[in-house]
């Protein structure tokens, strides 16, 4: 299985919004509503931010939202804050009953 | 609260078997949920290694399947990872994690299969493969 495709980096100014894409195939992202997004700060364990495409776990800010269209899922962060600067990884359930991660996107808050 | 802690050798020789254990506290593995191993080579992204259900059903990354064994020991409240025939490419931080479940008035439950939503993670342990 191939890793999901994410942009290597995105950037945005404080208070603005950014969107990170995650492209897969009909066998993963496009075939199931089981896309998750994890945030990872340097030297730290990942943190779940979005699950099942658009659901937020308890305690995650509503500035984080997820969506999906066809084989591409997206994570949008609105009202960017300095603390949002981190790496973001998407993941998806696959038709082989396995999981696959994206390559990760580094978010820089300018 | 539920906590996970990885343990095992930090240095493994090439061609040998990497063995790690994840000890779970604050929750009994025998009660349910799916438990996973994820790794991250230095400076690179996350890679799912595999997952296990408390009753022993396993799911493996196809690219690692021939070398991976994940098992659970409910008596010790632990689950383990074995990766055989390691090379330098297996050098990474190894994380154990639990899949998100759901809670109702009747209790908390897993969601029936692996779905990639890991809501509880260990701190990670660095494993270097070198002679």
């Amino acid at each position: 299985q191939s890793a999901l495709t994410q942009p290597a980096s995105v950037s945005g100014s404080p208070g603005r919004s950014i969107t990170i894409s995650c492209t897969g195939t009909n066998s993963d992202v496009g075939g199931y509503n089981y896309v998750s997004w994890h945030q990872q700060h340097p030297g730290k364990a990942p943190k779940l931010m979005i699950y099942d495409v658009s659901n937020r776990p308890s305690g995650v800010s509503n500035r984080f939202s997820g969506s999906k269209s066809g084989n591409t899922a997206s994570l949008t962060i609105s009202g960017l804050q300095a603390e949002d600067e981190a790496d973001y990884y998407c993941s998806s359930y696959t038709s082989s009953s396995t999981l696959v991660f994206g390559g990760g996107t580094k978010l820089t808050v300018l | 609260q539920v906590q996970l802690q990885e343990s095992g050798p930090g240095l493994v020789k090439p061609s040998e078997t990497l063995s790690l254990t994840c000890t779970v506290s604050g929750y009994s593995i025998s009660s349910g949920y799916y438990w996973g191993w994820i790794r991250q080579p230095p400076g690179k992204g996350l890679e799912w290694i595999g997952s296990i259900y408390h009753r022993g059903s396993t799911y493996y990354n196809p690219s690692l399947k021939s070398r991976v064994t994940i098992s659970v020991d409910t008596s010790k409240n632990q689950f383990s990872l074995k990766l055989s025939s390691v090379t330098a490419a297996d050098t990474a931080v190894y994380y154990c994690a639990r899949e998100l479940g759901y809670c109702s008035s009747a209790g908390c439950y897993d969601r029936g299969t692996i779905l990639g939503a890991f809501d509880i993670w260990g701190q990670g342990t660095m494993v270097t493969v070198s002679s």
Side-chain angles (χ1 to χ4, degrees):
Chain A
Q1 59 192 24
S2 299
L4 306 176
T5 301
Q6 297 182 234
S9 63
V10 298
S11 62
S13 300
R16 305 300 291 265
S17 296
I18 63 95
T19 296
I20 299 172
S21 62
C22 170
T23 301
T25 68
N26 290 333
S27 296
D28 39 63
V29 174
Y32 307 91
N33 289 323
Y34 295 127
V35 176
S36 299
W37 291 90
H38 293 84
Q39 173 195 66
Q40 186 182 35
H41 288 108
K44 301 294 187 181
K47 175 186 177 183
L48 181 65
M49 305 303 284
I50 295 288
Y51 68 98
D52 296 357
V53 175
S54 60
N55 293 323
R56 280 187 308 275
S58 174
V60 171
S61 170
N62 59 10
R63 297 186 298 105
F64 291 83
S65 62
S67 62
K68 191 185 85 167
S69 178
N71 294 339
T72 298
S74 299
L75 172 71
T76 297
I77 308 173
S78 59
L80 269 178
Q81 300 179 359
E83 67 203 51
D84 299 332
E85 186 162 294
D87 295 325
Y88 291 84
Y89 295 91
C90 63
S91 68
S92 176
Y93 177 78
T94 82
S95 59
S96 302
S97 297
T98 61
L99 303 174
V100 61
F101 278 98
T105 298
K106 180 177 179 60
L107 169 62
T108 300
V109 180
L110 302 171
Chain B
Q1 73 277 25
V2 182
Q3 293 184 314
L4 281 64
Q5 178 67 58
E6 306 88 351
S7 60
L11 181 64
V12 181
K13 289 182 168 53
S15 80
E16 296 190 343
T17 296
L18 178 161
S19 295
L20 296 175
T21 296
C22 183
T23 300
V24 180
S25 59
Y27 182 82
S28 173
I29 284 184
S30 60
S31 297
Y33 283 85
Y34 289 80
W35 309 85
W37 286 99
I38 301 99
R39 71 179 181 178
Q40 185 172 36
K44 297 187 177 181
L46 302 173
E47 179 180 33
W48 175 70
I49 299 170
S51 297
I52 189 166
Y53 189 47
H54 74 104
R55 293 179 180 174
S57 302
T58 52
Y59 308 79
Y60 296 135
N61 185 326
S63 67
L64 298 170
K65 187 174 183 177
S66 63
R67 298 194 291 131
V68 173
T69 302
I70 297 176
S71 59
V72 62
D73 186 338
T74 55
S75 66
K76 295 182 179 179
N77 221 34
Q78 297 173 335
F79 62 104
S80 299
L81 167 70
K82 291 188 184 299
L83 180 65
S84 64
S85 305
V86 298
T87 69
D90 296 309
T91 294
V93 175
Y94 285 76
Y95 295 98
C96 59
R98 192 186 81 169
E99 283 260 10
L100 178 75
Y102 72 94
C103 294
S104 68
S105 57
C108 293
Y109 307 92
D110 57 68
R111 299 202 292 160
T113 188
I114 59 169
L115 295 172
F118 295 102
D119 68 328
I120 302 176
W121 293 69
Q123 66 184 26
T125 187
M126 180 69 199
V127 179
T128 301
V129 178
S130 175
S131 55

